[in-house]
Amino acid sequence: MARTQSDAEFHQLRTPRAAAVAGVVFGVLFASSIVLLRSALPGAAATPWLHHQRQITAALILAPFAGIAFLWFIGVIRDRLGDLEDRFFSTVFLGSGLLFLAMTFVSTAIAGGLLAVSRLSGVSQNDLVFFGREVMLHVNNVYGVRMAGVFMISLGTIWLRTGLMPRWLAVSTYLLSLTLLVVVSFSLWVTLVFPAWVMVISVYILTVDRPPSIPPD
C-alpha cells in the first residue's frame, strides 16, 4: 500500500537568524567597494586611472557579492515583519531597496567600462574618464543615496507602527534618512552612512531574540 504524505510531514520554511549576517557582509563589501573606487577616482581631467587598475578591478569583484548580500538583508527584514507587513510601506521599502541596488550596479558598470577603455592604446582617455567620474558620483551620491534614504524612512515608519524595533533605533533611522534625503554632497562619508546603518541593524538582529510576528486584531 502506497504511503500518503500528511500535512505533518511538511515543514514551514523559516529564515534562520544567522541570515542576518548578510547585512554585515553587505556593509563590509559595499563600503570596501566604494572606498576602492572613490580612492581611484581622478581629481581632475588630467589624472587618468591608469595607475589604479587593481583597485578598480577589486571593487568590480566585490560589488556583485555586496548586492547579493543586500538582497538577503531585505529578505531577513521582510521575514521579521511577517504578518505585520503593510502593503504600502513594504512596496516603498522593497522598491527603494531594489532601485538603490540597480543604481549601485549601474555605477559599478560605468567604472568597468572606463577600466576597459583605459586598457586601449591610442585612445584619448582624460576627458572620457573625468566624464565617467562625474556620472558615477551623480548616480551614487544623488540618486542612490536618496533611494537609500527612502528605504530607511519606510523601514523607520514600519518599525514605529509595529514596535518590532526599539523606538530609539527607529528614530535614529528617521534622522539618518532625512539627512540622506536633504544633503547634497559628493563626500565619501555620506555614501558610507547607509552600509554602516545596515551593519548596525544586522548586528542588532543577530544579538536579540526574533520577535513573534502576530497579526494585529
Side-chain angles (χ1 to χ4, degrees):
M1 181 177 179
R3 182 188 175 192
T4 59
Q5 289 182 312
S6 64
D7 293 339
E9 295 180 51
F10 296 95
H11 302 279
Q12 183 179 4
L13 185 63
R14 305 292 297 181
T15 301
R17 286 182 58 242
V21 76
V24 178
V25 173
F26 162 76
V28 173
L29 295 182
F30 180 77
S32 299
S33 176
I34 290 296
V35 169
L36 286 171
L37 281 179
R38 292 295 293 271
S39 62
L41 286 174
T47 308
W49 276 355
L50 187 61
H51 303 298
H52 300 287
Q53 291 190 12
R54 290 185 178 179
Q55 287 181 234
I56 301 170
T57 301
L60 295 179
I61 293 173
L62 295 177
F65 293 101
I68 294 170
F70 184 67
L71 289 176
W72 277 76
F73 173 74
I74 292 178
V76 170
I77 295 298
R78 293 197 66 192
D79 178 70
R80 284 178 61 85
L81 291 174
D83 295 330
L84 300 176
E85 189 174 40
D86 175 79
R87 292 181 180 178
F88 174 78
F89 288 106
S90 292
T91 300
V92 176
F93 151 71
L94 184 60
S96 58
L98 295 179
L99 281 173
F100 165 79
L101 192 58
M103 291 176 185
T104 299
F105 283 168
V106 168
S107 177
T108 308
I110 293 173
L114 292 176
L115 179 61
V117 170
S118 70
R119 291 171 176 167
L120 299 176
S121 59
V123 178
S124 178
Q125 303 170 10
N126 292 347
D127 293 339
L128 179 61
V129 168
F130 191 73
F131 169 77
R133 169 188 182 274
E134 294 301 311
V135 174
M136 286 179 58
L137 289 176
H138 278 81
V139 171
N140 274 329
N141 287 60
V142 176
Y143 299 99
V145 163
R146 276 161 176 71
M147 285 300 98
V150 173
F151 181 87
M152 294 168 65
I153 203 168
S154 60
L155 268 186
T157 302
I158 292 173
W159 290 339
L160 281 177
R161 291 194 171 192
T162 61
L164 287 176
M165 287 289 192
R167 189 174 184 84
W168 66 267
L169 194 54
V171 172
S172 300
T173 296
Y174 257 114
L175 295 177
L176 287 175
S177 63
L178 290 175
T179 301
L180 294 182
L181 288 172
V182 173
V183 172
V184 178
S185 173
F186 287 165
S187 170
L188 173 62
W189 299 108
V190 174
T191 312
L192 295 178
V193 168
F194 184 64
W197 172 82
V198 171
M199 291 181 66
V200 170
I201 299 300
S202 299
V203 170
Y204 177 84
I205 294 175
L206 287 169
T207 54
V208 299
D209 293 332
R210 185 179 185 278
S213 299
I214 303 174
D217 294 333

